[in-house]
Amino acid sequence: YGHNMRNGSMFAGLLKYRSGGKTFYEEHRYITFDTLTEHHVYEIFAVFDTTASIGEGFDYHNFIEGNKDDFEAFVYECLHLSYYDTGIVPEYGDKLITLSTCEYTQTNGRLVVVARQIS
């Protein structure tokens, strides 16, 4: 989670996945995630808006780990809400990463970018 400042100083770049559409996605489809001991690459499969208001929107932040049905339901909802079809459908067992930041088109809005690990 990161706070998108209205002045564009932090995390505003994620909003380009919405405003730049599929063209921006195609030019920026990978996320690298490094720790002190590991390097991983993730491929984005969904970009969508939702609200963090209690009882509304998609509870994407509550999915951490689950059984096959839970995983498939999470992926289905991400794909259903996504602004564009990336052609990528994660399978049970894939590792996912979710990036989330504020977006200001709705009350408590969140822009969510979800990707699967490919290396």
Side-chain angles (χ1 to χ4, degrees):
Y1 301 99
H3 183 61
N4 168 30
M5 304 297 287
R6 288 183 188 262
N7 67 7
S9 63
M10 296 189 314
F11 299 98
L14 285 178
L15 298 177
K16 292 178 183 176
Y17 283 100
R18 180 180 60 203
S19 65
K22 194 164 184 182
T23 300
F24 182 83
Y25 158 77
E26 289 171 350
E27 295 171 358
H28 304 88
R29 65 188 307 151
Y30 300 103
I31 297 168
T32 58
F33 182 78
D34 298 324
T35 68
L36 291 175
T37 59
E38 296 180 342
H39 171 81
H40 295 289
V41 177
Y42 293 79
E43 186 174 28
I44 296 168
F45 71 88
V47 177
F48 58 90
D49 288 334
T50 190
T51 179
S53 296
I54 295 172
E56 299 177 30
F58 174 39
D59 251 355
Y60 66 92
H61 57 280
N62 280 331
F63 178 79
I64 298 171
E65 223 176 294
N67 61 34
K68 185 176 181 182
D69 290 341
D70 293 339
F71 182 89
E72 289 176 352
F74 175 80
V75 167
Y76 172 83
E77 191 65 17
C78 290
L79 294 172
H80 175 73
L81 293 172
S82 189
Y83 281 110
Y84 32 83
D85 180 3
T86 63
I88 300 164
V89 180
E91 297 177 1
Y92 182 65
D94 285 347
K95 293 182 180 182
L96 307 179
I97 189 171
T98 303
L99 306 178
S100 171
T101 194
C102 307
E103 70 87 24
Y104 301 105
T105 64
Q106 59 186 317
T107 303
N108 292 321
R110 298 294 183 270
L111 176 85
V112 182
V113 176
V114 191
R116 69 173 175 175
Q117 185 178 332
I118 59 173
S119 73

